[in-house]
Amino acid sequence: MADAPQYKRILLKASGEALMGDRAFGIDQKICDRLAADVRTVWEKGVSVGIVIGGGNIFRGVQIADTGGDRVTGDHMGMLATVMNALALRTALRQAGVDCVVLSALAMDEICDSFTQRSAMAHLSEGRVVIFAAGTGNPFFTTDTAAALRAAEIGADVLLKATQVDGIYAADPQKNPDAERFDTISHEDMLARGLRVMDTAAVAVARDSQIPIIVYSLLQEGGLAAVLSGEGRHTLVPAH
Ligand code: UDP
């Protein structure tokens, strides 16, 4: 049996693309349910969990900018996409028996509560999983940066990035099968090498707040509990 989790409070970033599975668009319910089951496993062990969900499986702001449209409008649409994913994940978590709430960085009272740091802390201390929707609430940012910010705001012990690959590579391993893989790498090296697994701004926020980062594959069943116990395949970016 895996050892007890090493972290008391985590911030998990799941990209929209990871939720897509093999589909070309939208949400693969199986992946969403697996993510919910993985979260339940660690939540049942008493780990306090915040989740930032991306929106790239539905919409990215650059899609509009690339066709000559207005980037800000595109980013608003991207943030709305993250809200849709957050609602899907909340549904999956509740069906799995996990008490959870969605807090959005953009006000949409009819759908969910708005994010404040105080309400997030209150929900977490009452044992609820908090799903942070709408990224930072600002255009020109990404949900990676939102994840690092929320991790700092809730005092998370670690920022986990669930991706479609099992760690940090020198190049995209899906395009370059021979790309070097790192078991550990520093925040500084990630920035210096321009590794694209996470945004520069997100890595800088994590570094400045001394938050370690773990990158692991969402496709590994039970992967979250395993990496939190120091097992499973992952890359660790230590705090120092
Ligand atoms: N977005 C934004 N501000 C934020 C977070 C996200 O404008 O703070 C928009 C942006 O258009 C982005 C889209 O939402 O392309 C989806 O987020 P992201 O690309 O980070 O999703 P992921 O790649 O994780 O699926």
Side-chain angles (χ1 to χ4, degrees):
M1 201 178 109
D3 292 337
Q6 300 171 353
Y7 304 97
K8 290 194 177 71
R9 176 164 291 172
I10 65 171
L11 191 296
L12 173 62
K13 159 70 206 288
S15 66
E17 266 181 16
L19 284 188
M20 203 159 66
D22 295 333
R23 298 165 52 126
F25 175 83
I27 300 167
D28 180 337
Q29 197 57 44
K30 283 199 306 295
I31 306 261
C32 207
D33 290 344
R34 182 187 304 162
L35 177 60
D38 273 10
V39 169
R40 184 180 70 180
T41 303
V42 300
W43 177 75
E44 283 175 341
K45 290 180 179 169
V47 177
S48 174
V49 184
I51 304 173
V52 168
I53 189 93
N57 55 325
I58 300 172
F59 200 82
R60 284 184 206 280
V62 286
Q63 286 172 237
I64 279 220
D66 285 350
T67 54
D70 167 31
R71 170 72 189 263
V72 174
T73 303
D75 282 344
H76 286 158
M77 292 167 71
M79 286 188 270
L80 291 175
T82 73
V83 179
M84 290 192 222
N85 284 334
L87 296 177
L89 185 58
R90 183 182 67 185
T91 303
L93 281 165
R94 287 191 175 161
Q95 279 169 354
V98 177
D99 192 7
C100 67
V101 64
V102 173
L103 298 181
S104 170
L106 295 173
M108 42 185 90
D109 291 348
E110 287 76 10
I111 294 177
C112 58
D113 289 340
S114 294
F115 167 79
T116 65
Q117 193 256 2
R118 293 184 308 283
S119 64
M121 296 302 267
H123 284 301
L124 289 167
S125 67
E126 285 163 21
R128 250 165 245 126
V129 169
V130 177
I131 304 169
F132 298 101
T136 64
N138 299 291
F140 302 103
F141 283 92
T142 67
T143 52
D144 278 358
T145 306
L149 277 175
R150 298 297 181 243
E153 284 174 289
I154 66 171
D157 305 311
V158 65
L159 168 58
L160 290 128
K161 177 148 180 176
T163 69
Q164 285 169 310
V165 295
D166 60 359
I168 300 179
Y169 288 79
D172 182 349
Q174 289 172 333
K175 292 184 191 139
N176 303 281
D178 299 329
E180 183 190 358
R181 180 181 177 283
F182 305 97
D183 283 333
T184 64
I185 184 167
S186 67
H187 294 86
E188 297 300 347
D189 278 352
M190 275 182 86
L191 293 171
R193 288 169 175 257
L195 301 181
R196 300 175 65 127
V197 63
M198 202 164 222
D199 292 353
T200 308
V203 176
V205 170
R207 177 197 59 192
D208 295 349
S209 301
Q210 302 196 339
I211 301 173
I213 303 171
I214 288 177
V215 177
Y216 77 102
S217 170
L218 185 64
L219 309 176
Q220 273 171 232
E221 206 163 343
L224 181 58
V227 296
L228 289 183
S229 306
E231 298 166 10
R233 269 176 79 76
H234 63 275
T235 295
L236 172 67
V237 184
H240 300 288

